[in-house]
Amino acid sequence: MSSTTIKCPVCLAEIDVLEALAEGDLRAVLEMQDAFYPHGRLVRAYFELFGVSPGFRNVHRLRVLTEEMRTLFEREEFSYNRKFYRISRAGIAEALSGMVKRRFPEPLKNHNYLKSCMITISEREASTASKTAERDLRKKETGLRSGARYPVTEETVTVPKMKDVPPARLTPEQIEANRKRLKDMITGIG
């Protein structure tokens, strides 16, 4: 064993580190690990279901899988049978956890089983988000019906900036009429 070769801790194969680094695949895999935080261990365990060990064997396959999973984690959406689904990072982790706990007789060939697991989670999340949005809307409507005219604490109101409003060219009579209207409004409010 020369100074540039190491033994894989899993399969005990001798791997030339310089050769593996020269390909750039391993470096790319290592650089993409932050995309999975804090679910890196789940993702690596999922990769093992494909028969890709954590060592240097099949580094190119590991890179491809890592790129696919990074895209999933960054976009938080996937497509299955020409239909797009949104899913949160927590939902992806839940699906990965279910996959890792399951035993498969053969190594996986693609992500289709993971996607089928994520569909149910995605639909559940969409249903929960829809119910929450409807509940918030009803709360807002109830507040408006009861006479609450000001926004709820979570709601933001954008006010136009004065530089966006063009200056008005008013005559002294129009200015006096506006002052009178404003005075009447203030006394009317109480």
Side-chain angles (χ1 to χ4, degrees), residues 69-124:
M69 291 304 291
R70 181 188 65 181
T71 303
L72 176 65
F73 269 86
E74 287 176 350
R75 291 186 182 167
E76 294 184 359
E77 70 178 11
F78 64 97
S79 65
Y80 187 70
N81 290 337
R82 298 181 188 160
K83 187 174 178 187
F84 284 92
Y85 298 91
R86 302 264 322 141
I87 188 167
S88 66
R89 292 172 77 93
I92 296 169
E94 182 182 341
L96 286 172
S97 178
M99 291 280 296
V100 169
K101 291 177 183 174
R102 185 150 188 220
R103 295 189 183 266
F104 293 95
E106 295 179 6
L108 298 177
K109 302 281 187 230
N110 53 37
H111 300 289
N112 287 345
Y113 189 80
L114 174 67
K115 288 179 180 180
S116 66
C117 293
M118 288 192 304
I119 287 173
T120 57
I121 295 169
S122 172
E123 290 172 347
R124 184 185 70 216

Side-chain angles (χ1 to χ4, degrees), residues 9-47:
V10 177
C11 64
L12 301 176
E14 288 187 7
I15 306 297
D16 187 350
V17 177
L18 296 177
E19 182 180 312
L21 287 176
E23 291 179 15
D25 290 335
L26 185 61
R27 176 171 291 189
V29 168
L30 294 174
E31 289 173 353
M32 288 186 269
Q33 292 302 308
D34 290 341
F36 311 124
Y37 182 80
H39 309 293
R41 289 184 179 178
L42 270 176
V43 173
R44 285 190 297 273
Y46 174 67
F47 291 159

Side-chain angles (χ1 to χ4, degrees), residues 165-179:
V165 179
R169 306 232 190 275
L170 302 176
T171 63
E173 295 84 26
Q174 291 172 324
I175 293 172
E176 192 58 40
N178 284 344
R179 283 186 185 149

